[in-house]
Amino acid sequence: MSDPLAVDIAGSSLKYTSHAGVECLIDFSDILCVLSNPAPTYSVLFFQKTELDGSEDFSLKKIDIKSLPAALSPLVTKIPSHLRYEDEPPVVQVVVSTGSGIGKAKTVFQDVVRPLLKYIGLESYELYETESPQTIIELAQSKFLERAHSGVPQTIILLSGDGGLIDILEVFYRSKKAIGVSPNIVLIPCGTGNAMASSIGLRSGPVPGLSTLLRGSPSPVPVFAARFSPGSRLVIDEGRQRADIDTDAHHTLYGAVVASWGLHAALVADSDTFEYRKFGSDRFKMAANELLHPSDGTPPHKFKGKITLTASSGPDEARCQETVDALEHMYALATLVPRLEKEFLISPESVPLDGKMRFIRFGPMSAEEAMHLMTLAYQGGRHVIEDTVTYVDIEAVRIDFQEDEEKWRRVCIDGKIVAVERDGWVEICKEPSRLLNLIN
Ligand SMILES: Nc1ncnc2c1ncn2[C@@H]1O[C@H](COP(=O)(O)OP(=O)(O)OP(=O)(O)O)[C@@H](O)[C@H]1O
């Protein structure tokens, strides 16, 4: 450690002269935390903006200071138990998903996460980089699940989109053995939609993710199960191949974010290609545009099927079932979270991690009307007050498909696409058990 520096407060900045004699200012809003070192010194961890090719990045820096100005005392942070090496130290594992979003996870690790772990004195963590879509699944099977079964406390820092969380969730919910200790998962959002991260308030880039890593506490993650009719198949390899949904006979996928059919599922499926992924979250809007304006000039597709909702009501929470009147739909979606992207507030009444599932639907309409509803969703979730939109609290939803063409029978479960068989069905129900914790 170099000699601690003397600091002053100048407005809302910290002022100091570096060892090289340069006058420096750190805006308070760029300070991640202040760590207390052996008395009387402190370390200030702060983000420094770097601009490369017009895109803004951050790297995490540290200075050691001689004394603590009063204005900085609210920023003094104690290392949380999910990172601390004390009584029962957790195994800390960092997963860098190199294929997430526009491929920035590795840079985020190098520039901010690795320095943070070093500054807080956490040197002995396990580091994994994804090499294929299977990497996180294999890690979950060989490491995370094993440790959870044996009751080992573990913290998994995921630099990915929703996909990394969902891969772990699938492995845990398929395991038949009891979980001894649930792992604590920290999301450092590096994906495209980052629905879960956005929903728990991690608004932009990796910076809020680090703050949550340091200041958050664990909450159990609510999950739904989507059970499909037996001939349904997982769509993989940019739509070119099909695979079994699971290895046993349950034909079930698990999710924590969204299950959808209609416009949403179709646009997620169509935009999941290497070419589209280059456009970041704009890929969803681009694919939506193509679905709403078919090249042959016809109106948008009317998705045909019977939708049955199960709700619970009254003091005894009695279950009641209701079939949606119409047999044609444009948008049908069940979600456990408020946001599907940072600004896309699909379910404004949802409270992240409270376990309630909401259903959003609208029927066939013109491309302009559908775009209007989507725009309202980007404007604070105002679509749900429109008369054309159904927005209700549900326990379960079942869809019986009445479509001849497979492309209109595609269902999205947290980004994965399932092609339901002809005359097939899907049932989406809240799952009673909670096997993973999220730091939020
Ligand atoms: N090195 C790699 N090679 C091939 N595929 C990879 C690699 N690393 C990650 N992947 C895959 O890329 C996909 C990235 O998904 P992830 O959810 O993390 O990001 P995203 O789809 O961009 O974000 P979101 O789900 O939040 O919209 C996953 O299917 C993952 O398994």
Side-chain angles (χ1 to χ4, degrees), residues 96-103 129-137 159-167 189-197 272 277 280-281 283-284 340-341 414-415:
V96 181
S97 178
T98 52
S100 296
I102 50 169
E129 267 184 27
T130 59
E131 284 167 8
S132 77
Q134 298 307 313
T135 309
I136 298 183
I137 297 169
L159 284 78
S160 77
D162 292 327
L165 174 68
I166 305 310
D167 284 347
C190 293
T192 312
N194 301 310
M196 181 57 89
D272 193 8
R277 277 184 168 272
S281 61
R283 72 177 159 109
F284 300 131
L340 296 186
E341 294 167 40
D414 283 7

XYZ file of all heavy atoms in Angstrom, residues 96-103 129-137 159-167 189-197 272 277 280-281 283-284 340-341 414-415, ligand 1:
339
model
N -17.995 -15.804 -15.953
C -17.996 -14.774 -16.988
C -18.604 -15.395 -18.246
O -18.011 -16.283 -18.865
C -16.549 -14.295 -17.272
C -16.554 -13.210 -18.341
C -15.890 -13.794 -15.988
N -19.819 -14.938 -18.609
C -20.497 -15.511 -19.774
C -20.101 -14.712 -21.009
O -20.637 -13.639 -21.280
C -22.009 -15.475 -19.568
O -22.647 -15.977 -20.716
N -19.117 -15.239 -21.742
C -18.511 -14.469 -22.837
C -19.480 -14.209 -23.988
O -19.262 -13.305 -24.781
C -17.264 -15.194 -23.359
O -17.637 -16.546 -23.660
C -16.152 -15.213 -22.331
N -20.564 -15.000 -24.060
C -21.502 -14.827 -25.181
C -22.686 -13.940 -24.855
O -23.534 -13.711 -25.702
N -22.769 -13.421 -23.642
C -23.946 -12.627 -23.264
C -23.937 -11.257 -23.923
O -22.870 -10.675 -24.144
C -23.979 -12.416 -21.749
O -24.132 -13.638 -21.099
N -25.139 -10.746 -24.167
C -25.290 -9.379 -24.675
C -24.404 -9.130 -25.870
O -24.351 -9.918 -26.818
N -23.653 -8.029 -25.818
C -22.761 -7.724 -26.936
C -21.329 -8.105 -26.589
O -20.364 -7.531 -27.099
C -22.889 -6.248 -27.397
C -22.783 -5.297 -26.194
C -24.194 -6.007 -28.117
C -22.625 -3.838 -26.584
N -21.178 -9.083 -25.713
C -19.854 -9.669 -25.472
C -18.940 -8.861 -24.565
O -17.720 -8.904 -24.705
N -14.882 -19.096 -17.263
C -15.333 -18.372 -18.455
C -16.123 -19.341 -19.316
O -15.704 -20.492 -19.482
C -14.126 -17.896 -19.262
C -13.700 -16.511 -18.898
C -12.559 -16.013 -19.765
O -12.423 -16.461 -20.920
O -11.793 -15.185 -19.264
N -17.234 -18.901 -19.872
C -18.015 -19.831 -20.697
C -17.319 -20.067 -22.033
O -16.711 -19.164 -22.615
C -19.434 -19.288 -20.974
O -19.308 -18.047 -21.644
C -20.208 -19.089 -19.692
N -17.425 -21.311 -22.487
C -16.857 -21.658 -23.797
C -17.948 -22.087 -24.762
O -17.714 -22.204 -25.965
C -15.843 -22.790 -23.626
C -14.545 -22.257 -23.039
C -13.618 -23.335 -22.549
O -13.900 -24.514 -22.792
O -12.610 -22.973 -21.926
N -19.104 -22.368 -24.237
C -20.216 -22.810 -25.093
C -21.513 -22.557 -24.319
O -21.484 -22.226 -23.131
C -20.088 -24.304 -25.381
O -20.518 -25.036 -24.243
N -22.658 -22.753 -24.987
C -23.926 -22.589 -24.260
C -24.084 -23.603 -23.121
O -24.957 -23.450 -22.273
C -24.983 -22.820 -25.353
C -24.284 -22.593 -26.627
C -22.857 -22.982 -26.421
N -23.246 -24.648 -23.115
C -23.372 -25.686 -22.079
C -22.576 -25.364 -20.816
O -22.773 -25.994 -19.776
C -22.847 -27.045 -22.614
C -23.615 -27.575 -23.802
C -25.099 -27.628 -23.530
O -25.523 -28.111 -22.479
N -25.896 -27.093 -24.445
N -21.641 -24.424 -20.890
C -20.683 -24.253 -19.783
C -21.367 -24.046 -18.427
O -21.011 -24.694 -17.441
C -19.727 -23.062 -20.056
O -19.169 -23.216 -21.348
C -18.629 -22.987 -19.016
N -22.353 -23.147 -18.366
C -22.960 -22.837 -17.054
C -23.766 -24.047 -16.559
O -23.759 -24.355 -15.365
C -23.801 -21.545 -17.120
C -22.877 -20.379 -17.495
C -24.501 -21.272 -15.783
C -23.515 -19.009 -17.534
N -24.394 -24.756 -17.487
C -25.147 -25.965 -17.096
C -24.181 -26.988 -16.487
O -24.441 -27.561 -15.421
C -25.873 -26.558 -18.327
C -26.892 -25.554 -18.844
C -26.519 -27.905 -18.001
C -27.492 -25.889 -20.178
N -21.651 -12.878 -14.349
C -21.561 -11.789 -15.318
C -22.212 -12.306 -16.591
O -21.556 -12.919 -17.455
C -20.096 -11.397 -15.578
C -19.413 -10.578 -14.489
C -18.999 -11.434 -13.321
C -18.199 -9.854 -15.057
N -23.534 -12.115 -16.674
C -24.279 -12.680 -17.806
C -25.605 -11.958 -17.917
O -25.857 -11.000 -17.191
C -24.520 -14.173 -17.575
O -25.559 -14.366 -16.637
N -26.459 -12.438 -18.823
C -27.837 -11.952 -18.866
C -28.659 -12.842 -17.953
O -28.139 -13.458 -17.020
N -29.964 -12.941 -18.287
C -30.809 -13.835 -17.497
C -30.404 -15.290 -17.702
O -30.651 -16.133 -16.845
C -32.270 -13.694 -17.933
C -32.831 -12.344 -17.564
O -32.423 -11.802 -16.530
O -33.665 -11.832 -18.326
N -29.799 -15.571 -18.861
C -29.523 -16.955 -19.240
C -28.734 -17.728 -18.196
O -29.053 -18.889 -17.919
N -27.726 -17.098 -17.602
C -26.891 -17.789 -16.620
C -27.706 -18.222 -15.415
O -27.625 -19.374 -14.956
N -28.540 -17.315 -14.926
C -29.395 -17.625 -13.765
C -30.349 -18.777 -14.109
O -30.539 -19.704 -13.328
C -30.186 -16.367 -13.370
C -31.230 -16.545 -12.284
C -30.574 -16.833 -10.941
C -32.117 -15.299 -12.165
N -30.907 -18.705 -15.300
C -31.911 -19.704 -15.700
C -31.255 -21.081 -15.879
O -31.842 -22.107 -15.526
C -32.629 -19.259 -17.009
C -33.223 -17.862 -16.848
C -33.675 -20.269 -17.439
C -34.058 -17.622 -15.630
N -30.036 -21.103 -16.422
C -29.324 -22.387 -16.565
C -29.126 -23.036 -15.194
O -29.332 -24.235 -15.023
C -27.943 -22.173 -17.214
C -28.041 -21.927 -18.708
O -29.116 -22.159 -19.279
O -27.026 -21.502 -19.311
N -25.220 -7.481 -14.471
C -25.908 -7.639 -15.757
C -25.017 -7.344 -16.959
O -24.491 -6.247 -17.102
C -27.058 -6.634 -15.681
C -26.771 -5.750 -14.525
C -25.846 -6.469 -13.615
N -24.853 -8.351 -17.812
C -24.049 -8.203 -19.027
C -24.806 -8.730 -20.236
O -24.213 -9.001 -21.272
C -22.738 -8.975 -18.893
S -21.638 -8.293 -17.655
N -26.136 -8.951 -20.087
C -26.891 -9.556 -21.185
C -27.583 -8.520 -22.043
O -27.237 -7.341 -22.023
N -28.599 -8.990 -22.774
C -29.345 -8.103 -23.659
C -30.543 -7.527 -22.904
O -30.649 -6.319 -22.720
C -29.857 -8.892 -24.888
O -28.780 -9.639 -25.414
C -30.386 -7.949 -25.925
N -31.434 -8.398 -22.472
C -32.643 -7.922 -21.789
C -32.382 -7.665 -20.317
O -32.814 -6.680 -19.762
N -31.660 -8.580 -19.676
C -31.384 -8.464 -18.235
C -32.659 -8.221 -17.439
O -32.703 -7.348 -16.567
C -30.400 -7.315 -17.954
C -29.083 -7.489 -18.667
O -28.461 -8.546 -18.589
N -28.672 -6.468 -19.393
N -33.710 -8.997 -17.762
C -35.003 -8.743 -17.124
C -34.922 -8.853 -15.605
O -35.415 -7.983 -14.887
C -36.039 -9.730 -17.668
N -34.299 -9.913 -15.110
C -34.256 -10.092 -13.656
C -33.445 -8.973 -13.006
O -33.867 -8.371 -12.019
C -33.663 -11.474 -13.320
C -33.609 -11.752 -11.847
S -35.213 -11.639 -11.023
C -35.795 -13.310 -11.210
N -32.279 -8.686 -13.585
C -31.436 -7.638 -13.013
C -32.170 -6.297 -13.020
O -32.199 -5.580 -12.017
C -30.126 -7.542 -13.785
N -33.030 -14.379 -31.936
C -31.916 -15.050 -31.254
C -30.943 -15.647 -32.267
O -30.771 -16.856 -32.360
C -32.439 -16.123 -30.294
C -31.342 -16.615 -29.355
O -30.241 -16.010 -29.355
O -31.571 -17.609 -28.644
N -28.049 -10.489 -32.605
C -27.480 -10.216 -31.282
C -26.532 -9.015 -31.301
O -26.357 -8.346 -30.286
C -26.746 -11.448 -30.749
C -27.686 -12.421 -30.092
C -26.970 -13.589 -29.482
N -27.902 -14.313 -28.636
C -28.119 -14.044 -27.358
N -27.430 -13.095 -26.758
N -28.995 -14.717 -26.660
N -27.760 -5.626 -29.774
C -28.139 -5.473 -28.370
C -29.649 -5.586 -28.223
O -30.297 -6.354 -28.945
N -30.234 -4.776 -27.309
C -31.674 -4.942 -27.057
C -32.526 -4.423 -28.219
O -33.722 -4.699 -28.284
C -32.076 -4.281 -25.743
O -31.808 -2.918 -25.806
N -32.502 -5.618 -30.933
C -32.895 -6.784 -31.732
C -34.372 -7.143 -31.519
O -35.045 -7.618 -32.431
C -31.974 -7.973 -31.430
C -32.155 -8.637 -30.073
C -31.221 -9.844 -29.985
N -30.925 -10.279 -28.645
C -31.381 -11.416 -28.098
N -32.173 -12.200 -28.774
N -31.019 -11.754 -26.868
N -34.875 -6.902 -30.294
C -36.268 -7.243 -30.022
C -37.206 -6.342 -30.832
O -38.187 -6.797 -31.418
C -36.578 -7.109 -28.519
C -35.728 -8.001 -27.649
C -35.063 -7.495 -26.532
C -35.583 -9.350 -27.940
C -34.280 -8.319 -25.727
C -34.803 -10.180 -27.143
C -34.143 -9.662 -26.042
N -39.021 -6.506 -18.402
C -38.340 -7.455 -19.291
C -37.053 -6.862 -19.843
O -36.183 -7.580 -20.314
C -39.257 -7.883 -20.438
C -40.502 -8.660 -20.010
C -41.265 -9.151 -21.226
C -40.151 -9.835 -19.108
N -36.963 -5.551 -19.857
C -35.722 -4.843 -20.161
C -35.718 -3.637 -19.224
O -36.732 -3.353 -18.589
C -35.713 -4.282 -21.585
C -35.710 -5.276 -22.693
C -36.023 -4.573 -24.016
O -35.522 -3.456 -24.245
O -36.799 -5.132 -24.786
N -38.310 -17.828 -20.453
C -37.075 -17.119 -20.082
C -36.028 -17.155 -21.202
O -34.850 -17.435 -20.962
C -36.475 -17.736 -18.810
C -37.235 -17.301 -17.571
O -38.281 -16.652 -17.718
O -36.776 -17.619 -16.467
N -36.456 -16.888 -22.410
C -35.511 -16.805 -23.526
C -35.343 -18.105 -24.280
O -34.914 -18.102 -25.432
N -18.521 -18.790 -25.264
C -19.773 -19.036 -25.634
N -20.034 -19.686 -26.788
C -21.303 -19.934 -27.157
N -22.391 -19.562 -26.448
C -22.193 -18.916 -25.299
C -20.886 -18.615 -24.838
N -21.003 -17.954 -23.661
C -22.328 -17.848 -23.414
N -23.032 -18.431 -24.379
C -24.474 -18.515 -24.482
O -24.939 -17.246 -24.900
C -26.223 -17.006 -24.333
C -26.179 -15.715 -23.555
O -27.329 -15.617 -22.755
P -27.516 -14.553 -21.632
O -28.899 -14.704 -21.137
O -26.420 -14.588 -20.652
O -27.391 -13.197 -22.423
P -28.476 -12.490 -23.310
O -29.350 -13.498 -23.977
O -27.737 -11.538 -24.166
O -29.272 -11.648 -22.222
P -30.787 -11.734 -21.686
O -31.140 -13.167 -21.486
O -30.749 -10.972 -20.391
O -31.621 -11.048 -22.733
C -26.534 -18.207 -23.443
O -27.308 -19.125 -24.158
C -25.146 -18.775 -23.163
O -25.167 -20.136 -22.835
